[in-house]
Amino acid sequence: MTFGTLLEALLLGLLEGFTEFLPVSSTGHILLAGHFLGFESTGKTFEVLIQLGAILAIVVVYFSRFWHVLITLPSSARSRNFVLGILIAFLPAAVIGALAHGFIKSVLFESPGLICVMLILGGIVLLWIDTVTLKPRFLDAMAFPPSLAFRVGLFQCLAMIPGVSRSGSTIVGGLLMGASKPAAAEFSFFLALPTMAGAFAYDLYKNRDVLSFDDGIIIVVGFVAAFFAAVLVVRSLIAFVSRHGLTPFGWWRIAVGGIGLVALALVG
């Protein structure tokens, strides 16, 4: 392990934290950056495990709300509905992710051209969704009915393809199903907790025999960087989306995907 490797881990951790909760595909950005930097992690595990930093950012920012849900769970129907909705939304990705884990990691994660194309297509979807006149019926992320939560969970499964974006697919899915932009973004935050924690635990288990001490060091560096960057994003994203919509992220995705395709054509 060299200083250059640690610096790359730091940069990729910051990239993870800044992009995880934006509808731009953090995995797509990290895989593309790692491809062009020549960064390699054991079994592509670094790219998954540093997401724990982003998970903890959600816990820190929303700690008071999560604590309130926990202590009122026995007595509050609202709290029980919230927990049930998150679990229901998580199930589709949990099942498909476990069944297709090998294919996702060995094929999709190794396809930078596919990532660029999905970034562009996802950007077009974000531009389109901001032009559609939608009438929000669900304004509170903690009060989503189970049926709505399940449908948002199905949209999340699209993010198994790197470049699609977990937050992008769940936010767009929520909007199409009648959620307001702030509620859709907030539900995407909450749904990230079991989804990313599950991916973290499963990937750590699958690669437990091949990880080394050096892997642990770069993962810690990436984790810390991802945590601090994600805290900044989580605290500001909902207000930004409420004011500016998803169009800025759409153009960003198209630009990154287009530049990526050009770079792949030039340097491979």
Side-chain angles (χ1 to χ4, degrees):
M1 181 178 58
T2 65
F3 175 77
T5 301
L6 288 175
L7 181 59
E8 290 171 353
L10 175 63
L11 293 175
L12 292 173
L14 290 172
L15 186 61
E16 156 65 25
F18 281 125
T19 59
E20 178 59 51
F21 300 108
L22 302 181
V24 298
S25 180
S26 63
T27 302
H29 279 67
I30 291 173
L31 291 175
L32 283 180
H35 174 80
F36 290 116
L37 288 172
F39 180 88
E40 291 289 339
S41 68
T42 304
K44 294 293 184 183
T45 299
F46 171 88
E47 291 83 350
V48 174
L49 299 190
I50 63 170
Q51 292 180 348
L52 182 60
I55 297 173
L56 290 184
I58 287 286
V59 174
V60 168
V61 174
Y62 284 97
F63 179 79
S64 60
R65 187 177 302 190
F66 291 142
W67 180 251
H68 175 76
V69 168
L70 180 63
I71 63 176
T72 61
L73 196 59
S75 59
S76 171
R78 172 182 166 83
S79 294
R80 290 193 297 271
N81 178 80
F82 168 68
V83 173
L84 178 63
I86 294 298
L87 292 177
I88 289 175
F90 164 66
L91 283 178
V95 173
I96 296 176
L99 294 176
H101 179 269
F103 176 76
I104 293 169
K105 294 296 289 293
S106 63
V107 178
L108 298 182
F109 271 41
E110 301 290 346
S111 306
L114 172 66
I115 294 171
C116 292
V117 170
M118 298 313 298
L119 283 170
I120 294 171
L121 292 178
I124 294 171
V125 170
L126 294 185
L127 296 180
W128 168 76
I129 199 70
D130 265 357
T131 67
V132 178
T133 301
L134 300 170
K135 295 182 179 180
R137 304 189 307 277
F138 306 101
L139 308 180
D140 182 359
M142 295 187 64
F144 280 12
S147 59
L148 173 59
F150 179 72
R151 284 176 284 170
V152 172
L154 292 177
F155 272 91
Q156 180 173 242
C157 294
L158 297 173
M160 302 284 178
I161 305 171
V164 170
S165 171
R166 189 204 61 81
S167 59
S169 59
T170 52
I171 290 173
V172 169
L175 293 176
L176 292 176
M177 296 300 109
S180 66
K181 285 180 179 177
E186 196 168 52
F187 190 82
S188 177
F189 287 165
F190 298 146
L191 181 54
L193 280 176
T195 302
M196 293 163 63
F200 171 89
Y202 191 72
D203 206 83
L204 187 62
Y205 169 76
K206 294 290 286 187
N207 291 280
R208 66 192 184 283
D209 296 326
V210 296
L211 291 174
S212 68
F213 179 72
D214 285 352
D215 291 318
I217 293 176
I218 65 172
I219 287 170
V220 169
V221 170
F223 159 83
V224 173
F227 169 77
F228 285 105
V231 167
L232 295 176
V233 172
V234 171
R235 286 178 172 171
S236 59
L237 179 61
I238 293 178
F240 182 90
V241 170
S242 298
R243 290 194 305 268
H244 304 289
L246 300 173
T247 295
F249 304 116
W251 287 118
W252 173 263
R253 291 177 61 108
I254 292 171
V256 172
I259 292 171
L261 288 177
V262 172
L264 287 172
L266 294 176
V267 301

